[in-house]
Every structure is written in structure tokens, then in C-alpha cells.
Amino acid sequence: TMQSMESAVVGVGMNTVLRVNALDNEEEFIQDNSDIVMEEDQMEDQESSDCFKIVEILGKGTGMVSLKKLYTGDLIMTEKPLIEVPNDIYDNLANVVKHLDKVVDRMSCSDREVFLNLTDCQSPADPTYLGIFDTNDMNFAGSGAVFPVMARVNHSCQPNAEFVTDPVRRIQRLVAIDNIDKEGEITINYLQMEEEHTRCDRGPGVQTGLCCTWP
């Protein structure tokens, strides 16, 4: 075998993972750390929730503002996706509609209420599942996904925050990319930065009308 003898001890919080590998005789002693990972996620969420609040912003509807001075690199919040649309059907409108109908119908009452309380900018008076998804979805490891709290963050062509995907823990992180004053609005760019001078967004339904121009 090409495997050499090695041993490693890795600390995870108060947990320790001991892995011993030997020639033709490999044994692993791995203490389950799922509870600790869960606790770390909960602590992270609790800490980040002290950074912001959701408020009404004149001319924008709802938005997110900072509760304290934030600095570049600060974690603002983490969130798990409420609903996902796989990349392989994202561009097929009929399949997206079917998928959304199935997923929303299977949601718990509380999750469905959260989803239906999100904005449908295409048809505010008569919202549809597709309209709500199209208004609020963001990229998540190649799929489209809705994060109901993060969806309240408004768009800016000069954002002061951005989302960072953690595919292992299946969460999205919102991180400051500039200093943000207390009570300052937290914004992200809904569009992906490209070399093109102008970029306009188009979701699985209809065009959102968002455009940014870069020099």
C-alpha cells in the first residue's frame, strides 16, 4: 500500500477527534461531534442576531440596519435555506413552478407563513410562489435558494456586505465587506460581478429590472 503511517489529533471545541492510520491496519476513533457543531451554529446565530434589525425603510419597504458599528470582515448573520430550486431545473420555468408547488405544499404551517410573507415584486396584490421565489432567491452552491431573513437585505450597486456560502453546514453567511455605522443600512449586490460594464438580473420567471454599471 502507498499509505504511510500517520496519526493526528484534531481539537473541535471541547471535542477531540482521534484518527490513527497504520500500514494495512487502519483504525478510526471518531467521537461524534454533531451536537457540538449544532451548538456552535446556534451560538453563531445568536451572536450575529445582535448585529442587525429588520425595519421599514422609506422608499424601499423593509430592510436591514446595523445595531452597532460593524467593521470589514464582521459576521452579520447566518441562515439556512427555506426553499431551494436545483440548478438543473432553474432555467425551465414549468419545472420550477411544479417544484415550488410541491415544496411549499409540504412545508410546515409556520414555514409556509414565513415564505408567503415575503414580497412578490412582480405581483404584490396577488403574489404567486414563483413571484415570491423570483423576488427573493439568491445563489446557493449553484442552486437558487430563499433565505427569508437575508432576503430583507436590499440591493445596492455599492454594497457594504456580501453573502458567503458554506456548503458543508448548508448555511449562508452575511459578512460585512466595508465598515458600517450604527443604524446604517446593510446592503448586498443582487447581481454577480462580471467584467461586463453593465449587468442586469434575470430570474427563472421574469426580469427583475435590476442593473448595475461598472467603470
Side-chain angles (χ1 to χ4, degrees), residues 44 47-48 51 70-71 73-78 173-176:
E44 190 174 62
E47 180 181 357
S48 62
C51 294
L70 296 174
Y71 297 90
D74 282 352
L75 173 67
I76 301 170
M77 67 167 294
T78 64
R173 288 185 170 89
L174 183 63
V175 179

Side-chain angles (χ1 to χ4, degrees), residues 16-92:
T16 300
V17 177
L18 173 63
R19 182 176 291 111
V20 180
N21 298 324
L23 286 170
D24 300 323
N25 183 23
E26 181 178 290
E27 294 182 359
E28 289 191 356
F29 302 89
I30 302 178
Q31 183 176 343
D32 183 12
N33 66 349
S34 59
D35 291 339
I36 290 178
V37 170
M38 183 179 300
E39 289 175 4
E40 288 176 347
D41 286 342
Q42 290 170 347
M43 290 174 63
E44 190 174 62
D45 288 340
Q46 182 62 44
E47 180 181 357
S48 62
S49 67
D50 296 334
C51 294
F52 68 90
K53 61 181 177 180
I54 305 299
V55 299
E56 291 291 324
I57 297 178
L58 184 64
K60 294 184 177 182
T62 57
M64 180 183 288
V65 298
S66 175
L67 289 175
K68 61 183 180 181
K69 176 78 174 184
L70 296 174
Y71 297 90
T72 302
D74 282 352
L75 173 67
I76 301 170
M77 67 167 294
T78 64
E79 190 172 15
K80 296 179 180 179
L82 178 65
I83 188 169
E84 290 184 63
V85 171
N87 185 55
D88 58 352
I89 68 168
Y90 190 83
D91 292 325
N92 187 311

Side-chain angles (χ1 to χ4, degrees), residues 2-202:
M2 297 295 294
Q3 186 174 9
S4 61
M5 182 179 295
E6 61 177 2
S7 63
V9 178
V10 182
V12 183
M14 296 299 292
N15 192 35
T16 300
V17 177
L18 173 63
R19 182 176 291 111
V20 180
N21 298 324
L23 286 170
D24 300 323
N25 183 23
E26 181 178 290
E27 294 182 359
E28 289 191 356
F29 302 89
I30 302 178
Q31 183 176 343
D32 183 12
N33 66 349
S34 59
D35 291 339
I36 290 178
V37 170
M38 183 179 300
E39 289 175 4
E40 288 176 347
D41 286 342
Q42 290 170 347
M43 290 174 63
E44 190 174 62
D45 288 340
Q46 182 62 44
E47 180 181 357
S48 62
S49 67
D50 296 334
C51 294
F52 68 90
K53 61 181 177 180
I54 305 299
V55 299
E56 291 291 324
I57 297 178
L58 184 64
K60 294 184 177 182
T62 57
M64 180 183 288
V65 298
S66 175
L67 289 175
K68 61 183 180 181
K69 176 78 174 184
L70 296 174
Y71 297 90
T72 302
D74 282 352
L75 173 67
I76 301 170
M77 67 167 294
T78 64
E79 190 172 15
K80 296 179 180 179
L82 178 65
I83 188 169
E84 290 184 63
V85 171
N87 185 55
D88 58 352
I89 68 168
Y90 190 83
D91 292 325
N92 187 311
L93 183 59
N95 287 341
V96 171
V97 171
K98 291 178 182 177
H99 177 78
L100 291 174
D101 286 345
K102 182 183 298 183
V103 173
V104 176
D105 288 347
R106 291 178 178 177
M107 283 181 176
S108 66
C109 292
S110 58
D111 283 348
R112 189 180 301 114
E113 182 178 5
V114 168
F115 179 72
L116 295 177
N117 280 335
L118 294 173
T119 302
D120 177 353
C121 69
Q122 306 299 330
S123 181
D126 187 22
T128 65
Y129 294 167
L130 178 63
I132 294 172
F133 178 82
D134 199 23
T135 301
N136 297 281
D137 79 306
M138 60 175 60
N139 184 282
F140 183 61
S143 298
V146 171
F147 299 80
V149 177
M150 209 174 293
R152 302 297 187 182
V153 182
N154 286 315
H155 166 78
S156 173
C157 291
Q158 295 181 315
N160 52 26
E162 68 179 1
F163 57 85
V164 179
T165 300
D166 185 338
V168 175
R169 292 189 177 182
R170 302 291 298 167
I171 59 174
Q172 202 88 295
R173 288 185 170 89
L174 183 63
V175 179
I177 59 173
D178 200 354
N179 294 341
I180 306 171
D181 291 332
K182 182 178 180 181
E183 299 295 331
E185 185 180 7
I186 297 168
T187 59
I188 60 176
N189 192 330
Y190 292 177
L191 314 178
Q192 293 184 2
M193 301 291 281
E194 295 184 347
E195 293 181 358
E196 302 171 358
H197 293 300
T198 300
R199 171 68 191 265
C200 295
D201 190 34
R202 181 178 293 276

